[in-house]
């Protein structure tokens, strides 16, 4: 009979217990031991949820205090020198210093760089490795968690980030070198880890090598062969896990790896199940990821059954069933969603339910009785034809789009002259990315308004007071271009989704974005349209409080698409264009209300790209077009900004230029302006605001530090085309540190205006 296993489970808890515990520890409200106990409780609950849902073999090591790549860095003893407080083994505070630049003990120092985990909205802390890097087994929590699971009666399957993927995701600290030269040093540590697992009685170990979903240079292919040969024979069985796309380019390599099993993503990857069966030896485990680990839609189990029934008969016990990838990317439990529309709820499955889906499929394969899975799949069929999903007016408007709809009235060279005269901004104009601290009073007001405790009038009055405060603070700081602070917004995606048709929301559908940061993505279930203005009233109010320019703030079509759970019955370019048209209406209305600068944020632009480089151009063309559709309904005098963060720009710089935003603001502080190299080599034609301080750490940057960064940027981009800004929004920060940091930023810009002339 087929076995069910899981590649990973959401680590945050049903109601974000880990987030609140970690933040309480950072604030000094609980002790480290109390935090450790909460983590232990969350892991026990996660293992129980999976076992009760039918998972035969649950993951251990998928839990992380910040992120699993950072945990791997500590496991390997690869701690950057600045984050060490002594020569002792790294501890929990070491981990937090690397991730956020500060912990309850030790130094306050620059956090390590953070970027997106492949094409997801999950972030990882980038390992910093030196050419002389040494490794040692230095973090023993993983082995403690194995013992923990075993003591509770669970059969543990430890999960490791594979050594080659780890090196691929790392960066060179100092001068560039071939990171694969470190493989011979890192493999002995992995061997030690596997031997320890064997001593603990572990049978299976999952080695994640998701880089196999990319189009790799031959050096990495050689490294993978070397790696699996070295890891073979350490006393445990190895399950290679691939996911996020097909690995068809490397099937012959995979077949030759000395591993006892291989997992394939059969949702994101176009894999021929019968071919995979013949690829692997009969005594190897074939793991099929047949339930979507990255989305929330109920699985058509009847359709899956038809695809794998024959292979299941042929392979018997050596067929394993699993989600396509770790369930880290999905909410924990749909059973909590008591207020969700019943029909919509019948279309969904969260992490717990995905285990139950696999159990239903397993029973049908074992018995041949398909009645249960046919009944389970009925809502999937109903959704496809539901009149609630399809809107002819929206379809017709998208169908009528032309090339001209994605073009501004004039080229940037002409627009920039008009804007310079209309806006009259100084050299190195200062601004922020949009949000200001979301204080407890703001959160309380939003909560009370939703609960009906306060009236709409009282809520609006409080939000206006918060906007006035944000504007007054910015005027006191003497920022050049202001924002309204976004007090009324719970989240940059959720806020807009609540005001657009075609989006739905959950109460507890949280997923981890990075560290303690969690987001609650909306569910795109139908065609998208805008009924009324979403931001105009708040932005007009802010503009009325000041003589300075106030930016309108919107989330772009690509980000609204990829930071939601996307409907799987319509192609993504069409959905993006639906959103773009809705935003276009908002942009024009903002302009007509007297807002001369409008920012359309696209932080998800890079992560939406296909993993295979050969497919990039098609994506970049439709994504850039969708952005331009949202922005191109305005006059030349209206300045369009966009914002991107925590992504590599080198390979998409031409597409960013193709978006034709007048100003782009980007994250560059953690990379020490290294990301600007792409804009220098490409000769990016428009204006750029490289982030000069990292808002994801509580550390306040010094004036000289920011001046040095701006000077570094001015060597790559002419100063007259530079803006000065933080690298992201400030909603997660406190007012005291925000005020101090922005004061330093403005002073740095003013001093440089004099120095640069």
């Amino acid at each position: 009979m087929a076995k069910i296993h899981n590649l990973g489970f959401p680590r945050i808890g049903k109601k974000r217990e880990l987030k609140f515990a970690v933040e309480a520890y950072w604030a000094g409200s609980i002790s480290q031991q109390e935090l450790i106990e909460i983590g232990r409780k969350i892991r026990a609950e996660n293992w129980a949820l999976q076992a009760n849902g039918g998972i035969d073999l649950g993951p251990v090591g998928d839990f992380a205090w910040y992120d699993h790549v950072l945990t791997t860095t500590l496991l390997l003893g690869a701690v950057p020198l600045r984050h060490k407080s002594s020569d002792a083994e790294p501890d929990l505070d070491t981990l937090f210093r690397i991730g956020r630049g500060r912990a309850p003990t030790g130094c306050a120092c620059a956090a390590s760089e953070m970027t997106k985990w492949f094409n997801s909205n999950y972030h990882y802390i980038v390992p910093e490795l030196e050419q002389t890097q040494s490794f040692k087994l230095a973090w023993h929590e993983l082995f403690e968690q194995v013992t923990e699971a075993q003591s509770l009666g669970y059969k543990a399957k430890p999960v490791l980030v594979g050594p080659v993927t780890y090196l691929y995701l790392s960066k060179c600290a100092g001068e560039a070198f071939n990171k694969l030269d470190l493989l011979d040093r890192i493999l002995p540590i992995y061997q030690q880890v596997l031997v320890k697992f064997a001593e603990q009685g572990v049978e299976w170990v999952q080695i994640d090598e998701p880089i196999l979903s990319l189009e790799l240079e031959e050096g990495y292919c050689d490294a993978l062969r070397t790696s699996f040969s070295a890891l073979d024979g350490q006393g445990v069985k190895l399950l290679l896990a691939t996911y996020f796309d097909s690995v068809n380019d490397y099937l012959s390599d995979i077949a030759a790896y000395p591993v006892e099993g291989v997992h394939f993503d059969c949702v994101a990857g176009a894999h021929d199940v019968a071919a995979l069966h013949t690829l692997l030896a009969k005594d190897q485990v074939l793991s099929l990821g047949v339930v979507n680990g990255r989305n929330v839609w109920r699985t058509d189990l009847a359709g899956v059954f038809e695809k794998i029934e024959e292979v299941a008969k042929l392979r018997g016990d050596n067929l394993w069933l699993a989600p396509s990838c770790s369930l880290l990317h999905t909410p924990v439990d749909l059973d909590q969603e008591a207020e969700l529309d019943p029909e919509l709820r019948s279309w969904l499955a969260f992490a717990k339910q995905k285990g139950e889906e696999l159990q239903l499929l397993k029973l049908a394969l074992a018995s041949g009785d398909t009645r249960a899975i046919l009944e389970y799949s009925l809502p999937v069929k109903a959704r496809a034809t539901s009149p609630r999903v399809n809107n002819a007016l929206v379809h017709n408007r998208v169908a009528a789009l032309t090339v001209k709809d994605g073009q501004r009235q004039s080229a940037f060279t002409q627009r920039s002259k008009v804007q310079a005269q209309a806006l009259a901004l100084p050299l190195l104009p200062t601004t922020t990315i949009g949000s200001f601290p979301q204080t407890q009073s703001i959160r309380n007001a939003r909560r009370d308004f939703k609960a009906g405790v306060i009236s709409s009038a009282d809520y609006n009055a409080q939000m206006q007071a918060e906007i006035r405060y944000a504007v007054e603070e910015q005027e006191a700081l003497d920022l050049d271009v202001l924002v309204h602070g976004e007090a009324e917004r719970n989240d940059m995606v959720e806020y807009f989704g609540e005001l657009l048709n075609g989006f739905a929301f959950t109460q507890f559908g949280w997923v981890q974005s990075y560290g303690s940061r969690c987001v609650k993505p909306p569910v795109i279930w139908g065609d998208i349209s805008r009924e009324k203005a979403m931001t105009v009233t708040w932005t007009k109010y802010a503009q009325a409080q000041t003589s300075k320019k106030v930016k309108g703030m919107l989330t772009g079509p690509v980000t609204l698409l990829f930071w939601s759970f996307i409907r799987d019955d319509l192609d993504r370019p069409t959905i993006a264009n639906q959103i773009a048209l809705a935003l276009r209406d908002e942009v024009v209305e903002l302009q007509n209300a007297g807002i001369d600068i409008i920012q359309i944020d696209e932080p998800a632009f890079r992560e939406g790209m296909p993993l295979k480089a050969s497919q990039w151009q098609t994506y970049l063309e439709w994504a850039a077009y969708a952005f331009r559709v949202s922005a191109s309904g305005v006059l030349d005098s209206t300045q369009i900004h966009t914002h991107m963060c925590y992504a590599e720009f080198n390979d998409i710089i031409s597409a960013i230029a193709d978006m034709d935003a007048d100003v782009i603001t980007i994250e560059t502080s953690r990379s020490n302006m290294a990301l600007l190299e792409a804009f220098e080599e490409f000769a990016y034609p428009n204006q750029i605001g490289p982030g000069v301080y990292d808002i994801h750490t509580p550390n306040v940057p010094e004036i000289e530090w920011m001046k040095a960064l701006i000077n570094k940027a001015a060597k790559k981009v002419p100063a007259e085309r530079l803006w000065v800004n933080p690298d992201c929004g400030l909603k997660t920060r406190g007012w005291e540190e925000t005020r101090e940091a922005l004061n330093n930023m403005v002073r740095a810009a003013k001093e440089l205006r004099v120095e640069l002339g």
Side-chain angles (χ1 to χ4, degrees):
M1 180 184 291
K3 181 178 288 187
I4 301 173
H5 76 115
N6 192 14
L7 279 68
F9 200 75
R11 60 180 69 119
I12 58 175
K14 279 188 174 184
K15 296 183 179 178
R16 296 180 291 162
E17 292 89 345
L18 182 61
K19 166 191 172 63
F20 299 123
V22 166
E23 291 178 353
Y25 173 65
W26 293 342
S29 302
I30 64 173
S31 68
Q32 186 175 118
Q33 188 56 43
E34 288 174 304
L35 174 62
I36 290 170
E37 288 300 320
I38 292 170
R40 184 177 290 114
K41 182 180 178 182
I42 292 171
R43 289 192 295 273
E45 290 175 349
N46 286 349
W47 291 327
L49 276 175
Q50 293 173 81
N52 294 338
I55 303 294
D56 299 309
L57 200 56
V60 175
D62 55 334
F63 178 88
W65 297 108
Y66 205 90
D67 90 78
H68 60 285
V69 178
L70 177 53
T71 302
T72 306
T73 293
L74 267 70
L75 178 73
L76 300 171
V79 176
L81 184 62
R82 69 182 180 280
H83 296 122
K84 293 180 179 180
S85 58
S86 68
D87 292 330
E89 296 290 309
D91 60 7
L92 200 51
D93 281 3
T94 310
L95 183 149
F96 290 137
R97 284 196 296 273
I98 300 172
R100 61 191 294 268
R102 184 182 294 185
T105 65
C107 67
C109 44
S112 288
E113 189 176 342
M114 181 168 66
T115 195
K116 302 291 179 70
W117 173 250
F118 292 88
N119 59 348
S120 76
N121 188 32
Y122 174 75
H123 303 63
Y124 69 93
I125 299 298
V126 180
E128 300 175 22
L129 304 180
E130 299 177 354
Q131 193 165 8
T132 57
Q133 186 76 45
S134 61
F135 300 95
K136 64 176 182 177
L137 185 54
W139 179 259
H140 300 277
E141 271 201 6
L142 180 54
F143 309 112
E144 295 167 4
Q145 290 174 19
V146 169
T147 300
E148 202 177 297
Q150 291 171 334
S151 69
L152 294 171
Y154 302 115
K155 193 173 183 180
K157 182 195 61 174
V159 178
L160 296 172
V161 176
V164 184
T165 288
Y166 180 80
L167 290 175
Y168 182 90
L169 297 177
S170 66
K171 64 179 289 187
C172 298
E175 293 185 10
F177 63 94
N178 185 353
K179 294 179 292 184
L180 290 177
D181 289 343
L182 302 178
L183 185 62
D184 288 342
R185 294 179 223 165
I186 205 173
L187 285 175
I189 314 304
Y190 274 84
Q191 289 171 316
Q192 291 178 42
V193 171
L194 296 181
V195 168
K196 280 186 171 288
F197 286 150
E199 292 170 353
Q200 290 182 290
V202 167
E203 181 182 7
W204 283 94
V205 177
Q206 177 182 313
I207 306 288
D208 286 2
E209 290 287 8
I211 59 166
L212 281 161
S213 63
L214 308 175
E215 292 170 340
L216 295 170
E217 297 175 0
E218 187 58 32
Y220 281 96
C221 297
D222 291 339
L224 286 161
R225 298 183 195 108
T226 300
S227 172
F228 283 109
S229 295
L231 298 181
D232 181 36
Q234 308 302 318
V236 292
K237 295 179 181 178
L238 301 182
L239 176 74
L240 162 63
T242 68
Y243 43 82
F244 292 160
D245 208 329
S246 75
V247 293
N248 289 331
D249 293 342
Y250 309 110
L251 290 180
S252 59
D253 280 6
I254 290 171
Y257 293 157
V259 295
E260 284 73 26
V262 184
H263 171 83
F264 297 93
D265 183 337
C266 295
V267 176
H271 287 118
D272 182 334
V273 173
L276 296 180
H277 166 63
T278 58
L279 176 77
L280 299 185
K282 291 182 179 180
D283 60 348
Q284 285 181 294
V285 164
L286 170 61
S287 170
L288 300 178
V290 292
V291 167
N292 195 331
R294 289 184 58 172
N295 214 327
V296 294
W297 300 107
R298 179 180 286 221
T299 304
D300 179 6
L301 293 179
V304 173
F305 181 90
E306 291 179 6
K307 292 178 182 177
I308 71 172
E309 179 186 15
E310 190 61 31
V311 168
K313 290 177 180 177
L314 294 170
R315 206 154 195 95
D317 292 346
N318 284 334
L319 177 73
W320 288 10
L321 304 174
S324 58
C325 61
S326 170
L327 295 174
L328 166 71
H329 311 283
T330 61
V332 178
D333 188 1
L334 184 63
D335 290 344
Q336 297 185 102
E337 303 297 336
E339 298 182 9
L340 201 59
D341 175 274
E343 184 178 25
L344 174 59
R345 192 177 186 279
S346 74
W347 297 341
L348 304 178
F350 290 179
K352 175 190 170 187
Q353 287 70 38
K354 291 178 187 295
E356 295 167 353
E357 288 183 331
L358 291 167
Q359 177 74 353
L360 281 174
L361 182 61
K362 172 183 173 179
L363 294 174
L365 290 169
S367 67
D369 185 349
T370 60
R371 286 175 294 180
I373 61 173
L374 286 169
E375 182 179 355
Y376 183 85
S377 302
L378 287 176
V380 181
K381 311 293 186 186
R383 179 166 70 95
T385 57
S386 171
R388 298 177 64 188
V389 171
N390 302 293
N391 183 326
L393 293 176
V394 175
H395 283 225
N396 292 340
R397 193 177 181 197
V398 170
L401 283 170
T402 66
V403 172
K404 189 175 180 180
D405 291 308
Q407 295 175 341
R408 293 288 296 271
Q409 291 181 356
S410 305
F412 172 75
T413 51
Q414 182 175 338
R415 298 197 310 264
S416 62
K417 296 174 184 176
V418 176
Q419 292 165 14
Q421 184 173 1
L423 300 176
L425 295 171
L427 180 71
L428 301 174
T430 56
T431 189
T432 65
I433 302 304
S435 60
F436 271 94
Q438 288 266 317
T439 63
Q440 193 58 50
S441 64
I442 292 174
R443 295 190 184 97
N444 290 345
R446 189 159 52 239
R447 178 199 63 204
D448 291 345
F449 176 53
K450 287 189 174 183
V453 175
I454 62 174
S455 68
S456 176
D458 288 342
Y459 173 75
N460 289 342
Q462 182 162 344
M463 291 302 103
Q464 287 179 345
E466 298 288 353
I467 290 170
R468 285 198 305 274
Y469 181 79
V471 170
E472 289 167 1
E473 286 286 339
Q474 292 172 85
E475 286 191 314
L477 289 163
D478 201 23
L479 286 159
D480 298 307
V481 175
L482 314 187
V483 295
H484 79 287
E486 303 179 15
E488 81 288 357
R489 302 186 191 182
N490 44 11
D491 175 82
M492 65 181 293
V493 173
E494 186 172 358
Y495 175 80
F496 290 97
E498 287 177 337
L499 297 170
L500 292 168
N501 295 323
F503 286 82
F505 293 86
T506 60
Q507 286 179 279
F508 303 104
W510 297 98
V511 294
Q512 186 181 24
S513 177
Y514 65 86
S516 68
R517 168 74 170 148
C518 299
V519 294
K520 187 152 59 73
V523 179
I524 300 178
W525 60 270
D527 291 329
I528 297 164
S529 60
R530 167 189 176 272
E531 289 186 355
K532 59 182 180 180
M534 301 178 287
T535 66
V536 176
T537 299
W538 301 117
T539 312
K540 280 178 62 179
Y541 181 81
Q543 185 62 82
Q545 311 307 307
T546 179
S547 60
K548 292 191 173 186
K549 296 296 183 182
V550 174
K551 281 192 291 188
M553 299 298 306
L554 304 173
T555 303
V558 176
T559 298
L560 283 172
L561 175 70
F562 284 109
W563 285 7
S564 302
F565 291 117
I566 308 171
R567 60 188 287 192
D568 56 0
D569 61 337
L570 195 65
D571 67 86
R572 294 181 177 189
T574 298
I575 304 171
N577 284 337
Q578 289 182 0
I579 302 171
L581 285 168
L583 292 174
R584 183 187 183 97
D585 295 341
E586 184 77 11
V587 169
V588 170
E589 196 162 341
L590 279 168
Q591 173 191 257
N592 294 343
I595 306 303
D596 299 325
I597 304 176
I598 302 170
Q599 182 170 308
I600 307 172
D601 289 341
E602 284 292 21
F605 192 85
R606 177 64 176 80
E607 81 186 46
M609 289 174 61
L611 293 177
K612 301 189 188 313
S614 60
Q615 301 170 8
W616 287 357
Q617 190 57 37
T618 299
Y619 161 77
L620 292 171
E621 287 175 0
W622 68 253
Y625 176 77
F627 177 86
R628 293 197 309 273
V629 167
S630 72
S632 294
V634 295
L635 303 172
D636 284 352
S637 56
T638 297
Q639 190 175 72
I640 297 294
H641 291 221
T642 191
H643 172 68
M644 295 181 180
C645 55
Y646 301 107
E648 297 293 335
F649 300 118
N650 297 53
D651 44 18
I652 61 168
I653 185 63
S654 62
I656 293 174
D658 193 38
M659 293 167 69
D660 199 25
D662 298 305
V663 181
I664 179 173
T665 54
I666 57 173
E667 176 276 323
T668 53
S669 60
R670 282 203 179 193
S671 68
N672 199 28
M673 293 289 166
L675 291 176
L676 271 185
E677 292 175 5
F679 292 83
E680 176 190 34
E681 294 171 5
F682 179 76
Y684 185 76
N686 301 6
Q687 297 180 42
I688 304 174
V692 296
Y693 83 87
D694 176 16
I695 67 88
H696 292 94
T697 172
N699 300 333
V700 173
E702 297 178 355
I703 295 172
E704 292 305 317
W705 165 263
M706 288 190 278
K707 285 177 65 176
L709 286 178
I710 299 167
N711 272 320
K712 192 171 184 179
K715 292 177 181 178
K716 301 177 183 294
V717 179
E720 60 269 21
R721 290 201 285 117
L722 284 176
W723 286 61
V724 178
N725 46 261
D727 65 8
C728 207
L730 297 161
K731 66 178 291 184
T732 62
R733 305 266 53 96
W735 265 111
E736 183 177 352
E737 66 188 78
T738 294
R739 196 179 291 114
E740 187 177 352
L742 289 179
N743 181 64
N744 286 357
M745 186 188 82
V746 171
R747 286 180 60 188
K750 287 182 175 180
E751 289 180 15
L752 281 173
R753 285 172 193 161
V754 176
E755 294 171 18
L756 295 174

